Amino acid sequence: MSHLSSRRLAVLAGGPLVLVLAACGGGGATIDDDVSGGEAPQLVTVDAGYVSAVDQLGLPIGLETGAFEEQGLDVRLAQPFPTGVDSLNALQAGEVDFIQVGTPAIGAAQRGLDLVLLGNYSGSASQQAIDDTMAVVARPGSGISGDDLATLRGKRIGVSIGSINHLYLIGLLQELQIPAGEVEVVNTAPPDMPVALQTSGIDAAIVWDPWPITIEQQVQGAEEVVRGGGYIPYVGYIVAMREFVEQNPDVVARFLTARATADQWMRENPDEAAEAATRWLPGTEPEVASEAMQYNVAQLDPRFSACNYAALDTVAQMLAEQGVTEPGFAVADRFVPGPITTVMEERPELFDDLPAIPEPARIGADFAYEREAALAACPAT
């Protein structure tokens, strides 16, 4: 029996999976009491949260494979959050210690949330642009053609404003040289996109996996007209509050080691990872999970490099130009690279299947970010 299977059966034996692992309050790591009277080592309890998306599956996979337990951590998962904004609210409230979030972290930081970025849950440390998990799905009769994306002009496009799918739209329009004002942006949550397409409330939906694949199944005649393309630097970070990180450096290091272990397992076992997605992402069919996982594993790079700084800087500037966030976001203030670069140095085998980071883009704990140097160090795609 595989490590995944044996761990899964042990969890399922205790009751329904989501109920067993639901968070019961965060606010700091704690030491579990050993009530068995045996010699088993005590585990440090931490609470973590993820959004219901394929690219955020690393947290539950870390549980199923035992990666967290091997690092001495008892990770309790909150119920999946519908959006990154919801996960940030939980972090601010002290309900979780770690979350996985991308572009919404910029606005939250600008509003005063003292969050820091510890590693990637999705993205690339070896290049600037990567967006394989994003797609545009058009309704039947929309007039939008993948062969002529200029047909997006004048259309109603559903995105989650301020999230990575909104950013993808901005990047796509910039590449096409279509002014943002020539499309109508409709703020639409991913679960509402199928109905919005069916009722012609929107002409196309831009969203992350598994939603593009699910929408094609649910909306008769809907068609994926764009997949990926390198239009944006995908940003998705493991995030915690600065105070928590400063007070719990060992927990942070162990958490990042476990997440890197889970990511490598997914890269090496995409079929089994897809099977896990059907359990952790409600309503996800096996064939949908299998297709989505092929795109997801291309972006499972937990490392930090100068490329990640440049990616977030680019994202922040793109969103500020559209008035979504404030200009002048201080990128370097939010990265805490020391923990993950230490893991990279001490556990190189966890990353040896990933593309090499260009030498000029490699960083350490004392990295000083300069935009032009970072852009020069990182290939576009």
Side-chain angles (χ1 to χ4, degrees):
M1 182 177 291
S2 70
H3 194 180
L4 173 65
S5 300
S6 60
R7 173 64 179 166
R8 180 169 72 244
L9 290 175
V11 173
L12 288 173
L17 194 59
V18 174
L19 295 178
V20 169
L21 298 172
C24 53
T30 59
I31 303 295
D32 288 349
D33 292 329
D34 181 11
V35 297
S36 66
E39 299 297 326
Q42 295 177 331
L43 301 179
V44 178
T45 299
V46 295
D47 295 286
Y50 69 107
V51 172
S52 184
V54 169
D55 63 3
Q56 298 223 11
L57 200 62
L59 270 176
I61 288 290
L63 283 175
E64 288 206 359
T65 60
F68 288 117
E69 188 173 349
E70 288 171 0
Q71 290 298 317
L73 300 178
D74 174 20
V75 174
R76 303 181 298 190
L77 292 188
Q79 295 280 358
F81 297 110
T83 69
V85 172
D86 297 289
S87 67
L88 284 161
N89 290 338
L91 182 70
Q92 184 174 26
E95 297 170 3
V96 289
D97 304 309
F98 296 95
I99 60 170
Q100 299 180 148
V101 68
T103 55
I106 299 171
Q110 290 182 330
R111 290 188 295 272
L113 191 64
D114 195 16
L115 58 82
V116 293
L117 315 177
L118 302 169
N120 300 315
Y121 73 81
S122 188
S124 175
S126 61
Q127 63 189 61
Q128 293 178 39
I130 189 167
D131 50 21
D132 293 28
T133 63
M134 300 297 303
V136 182
V137 182
R139 67 173 178 83
S142 68
I144 299 172
S145 170
D147 296 327
D148 180 13
L149 292 176
T151 53
L152 287 168
R153 282 191 172 91
K155 299 302 191 293
R156 293 159 295 180
I157 312 298
V159 300
S160 306
I161 290 179
S163 290
I164 195 71
N165 51 348
H166 187 193
L167 182 73
Y168 185 87
L169 172 62
I170 295 170
L172 178 59
L173 293 177
Q174 288 180 349
E175 178 69 21
L176 297 170
Q177 298 183 342
I178 297 176
E182 293 190 12
V183 301
E184 181 182 348
V185 176
V186 182
N187 192 19
T188 314
D192 298 329
M193 289 179 175
V195 171
L197 287 168
Q198 286 174 328
T199 59
S200 300
I202 58 176
D203 298 305
I206 297 180
V207 69
W208 52 82
D209 286 320
W211 287 106
I213 306 164
T214 300
I215 289 170
E216 281 193 288
Q217 289 190 342
Q218 293 180 350
V219 181
Q220 186 174 5
E223 179 184 4
E224 183 179 288
V225 294
V226 184
R227 162 67 68 172
Y231 297 110
I232 59 168
Y234 200 98
V235 293
Y237 300 109
I238 297 172
V239 174
M241 298 296 288
R242 191 184 306 273
E243 182 179 14
F244 176 87
V245 173
E246 292 174 348
Q247 293 179 354
N248 300 277
D250 183 59
V251 170
V252 170
R254 286 191 273 165
F255 188 91
L256 294 177
T257 300
R259 282 294 285 102
T261 303
D263 283 350
Q264 186 180 61
W265 185 90
M266 283 192 286
R267 294 193 301 269
E268 295 175 346
N269 302 276
D271 291 338
E272 288 189 68
E275 182 199 355
T278 65
R279 295 188 296 277
W280 291 95
L281 306 179
T284 303
E285 297 296 329
E287 62 272 19
V288 172
S290 181
E291 182 178 349
M293 189 58 63
Q294 302 306 314
Y295 301 119
N296 179 52
V297 293
Q299 297 185 191
L300 289 179
D301 185 348
R303 304 169 298 177
F304 269 170
S305 75
C307 306
N308 302 108
Y309 284 70
L312 183 61
D313 199 2
T314 299
V315 166
Q317 291 187 25
M318 292 172 70
L319 291 175
E321 288 169 1
Q322 302 301 316
V324 178
T325 59
E326 297 296 322
F329 181 66
V331 171
D333 291 348
R334 297 298 162 178
F335 279 88
V336 177
I340 189 62
T341 55
T342 298
V343 175
M344 291 163 60
E345 180 180 351
E346 295 180 351
R347 297 291 305 276
E349 74 278 4
L350 296 177
F351 314 98
D352 58 11
D353 61 314
L354 290 168
I357 296 173
E359 185 64 36
R362 296 181 183 180
I363 67 172
D366 57 351
F367 175 65
Y369 172 64
E370 295 181 3
R371 178 174 173 79
E372 295 306 317
L375 289 174
C378 302
T381 56

